[in-house]
Amino acid sequence: MITIAERLKFAYDRITKAIKNSHISGQKVALLAVSKTKPSTLIREAYNANQRQFGESYVQEAVEKIAELSDLNDIEWHFIGPIQSNKSALVAAHFDWVQSVDRMKIARRLNEQRPSNSAKLNVLIQVNIDDEETKSGCAINELPELAAFVANAENLELRGLMAIPKKSETNEQQQASFAKLNACFTQLKAQYQSIDTLSMGMSNDVEAAISQGSTMVRIGTDIFGPRT
Ligand SMILES: *Cc1c(COP(=O)(O)O)cnc(C)c1O
């Protein structure tokens, strides 16, 4: 049996190698371990192997696991799933980051619902980078207004962008989607000093994402195994 610690090491080695090949000066890439559908025992195992940043997609499930792991006080929880209005209060109360903010209504609610004794909620705006009908994420032309709202919101901190590109046949197609997101990121970063995070790349496209300037990859399957 291959352990979680070994799988994590493999993922970090893969990231290190991709950074070397990307030739972007000073590039640093964080690894978000995507633990959705996986039990808290496996998250604890990853924590014990020094992993600190975890991503969850389902609010109810995540809140239960966050409670089970409340003794790990330097763990960092990222919400990466679609946000329904009636779940936004739970997201605002229990997470450190939200990567999937894609509309005004949700941004407004998260700002209002963030508990006053908590640090600002770190926000990535999710962009529907390939303009797919079925995908979450704001359209590129909605980005300026949404970014301005988040940047000025009292209880939110605008940290950057996230996207899930469409499934591509070729490496070139993958890179083109990521390059498009990087262009949006560069433009926003020139306007807002708080921006430092470009979340792109999953188990099957880590190299393409890092070659186009990713600063955070989100890996589930390669760390915790396939989801059923
Ligand atoms: C599930 C998920 C991932 C991880 O996907 P893997 O293919 O298992 O690495 C990354 N990002 C988001 C937004 C996800 O929902």
Side-chain angles (χ1 to χ4, degrees):
M1 264 294 277
I2 175 163
T3 64
I4 299 257
E6 287 164 330
R7 287 167 174 270
L8 275 168
K9 184 178 181 309
F10 177 82
Y12 278 104
D13 286 349
R14 187 177 170 199
I15 290 168
T16 303
K17 201 165 153 196
I19 291 173
K20 265 196 201 118
N21 290 332
S22 82
H23 304 294
I24 298 171
S25 84
Q27 186 178 22
K28 288 203 172 73
V29 181
L31 168 58
L32 185 72
V34 177
S35 45
K36 64 186 182 208
T37 80
K38 300 296 178 180
S40 60
T41 48
L42 290 189
I43 299 174
R44 192 178 289 277
E45 202 176 322
Y47 180 93
N48 288 337
N50 283 324
Q51 179 63 29
R52 291 294 178 270
Q53 297 173 300
F54 292 88
E56 291 283 337
S57 303
Y58 309 109
V59 178
Q60 206 58 51
E61 177 204 326
V63 168
E64 284 169 28
K65 290 190 281 185
I66 290 170
E68 287 164 10
L69 298 168
S70 61
D71 58 310
L72 310 178
N73 51 33
D74 62 345
I75 201 166
E76 193 178 281
W77 293 104
H78 292 234
F79 190 75
I80 60 174
I83 309 173
Q84 296 165 288
S85 297
N86 63 354
K87 297 284 170 59
S88 63
L90 285 172
V91 174
H94 294 284
F95 283 82
D96 305 295
W97 289 65
V98 181
Q99 301 203 3
S100 46
V101 173
D102 64 355
R103 58 196 191 275
M104 279 293 199
K105 183 182 180 187
I106 294 298
R108 206 173 283 125
R109 287 176 72 92
L110 291 172
N111 184 47
E112 285 165 9
Q113 293 166 334
R114 183 68 168 170
S116 54
N117 60 344
S118 299
K120 284 186 174 190
L121 180 61
N122 295 292
V123 169
L124 302 184
I125 296 174
Q126 183 175 354
V127 183
N128 187 354
I129 201 68
D130 294 309
D131 208 13
E132 292 173 277
E133 291 270 324
T134 56
K135 274 270 172 68
S136 329
C138 74
I140 289 176
N141 65 10
E142 295 166 343
L143 194 47
E145 193 189 355
L146 189 51
F149 177 84
V150 173
N152 292 314
E154 198 177 349
N155 301 315
L156 308 178
E157 181 90 328
L158 179 63
R159 300 295 296 269
L161 301 178
M162 185 270 261
I164 308 168
K166 71 172 177 228
K167 281 207 166 58
S168 306
E169 299 299 317
T170 69
N171 198 12
E172 285 71 27
Q173 284 172 351
Q174 284 181 338
Q175 289 188 1
S177 296
F178 290 135
K180 220 187 316 176
L181 190 69
N182 192 10
C184 298
F185 177 70
T186 304
Q187 209 177 345
L188 274 190
K189 202 175 167 188
Q191 283 181 66
Y192 301 108
Q193 281 187 342
S194 59
I195 289 189
D196 58 8
T197 305
L198 180 55
S199 173
M200 56 187 199
M202 309 182 15
S203 290
N204 61 1
D205 54 16
V206 162
E207 286 76 17
I210 291 178
S211 80
Q212 300 307 313
S214 171
T215 73
M216 181 182 286
V217 292
R218 308 176 306 268
I219 300 182
T221 307
D222 282 1
I223 295 170
F224 296 110
R227 292 177 292 272
T228 47

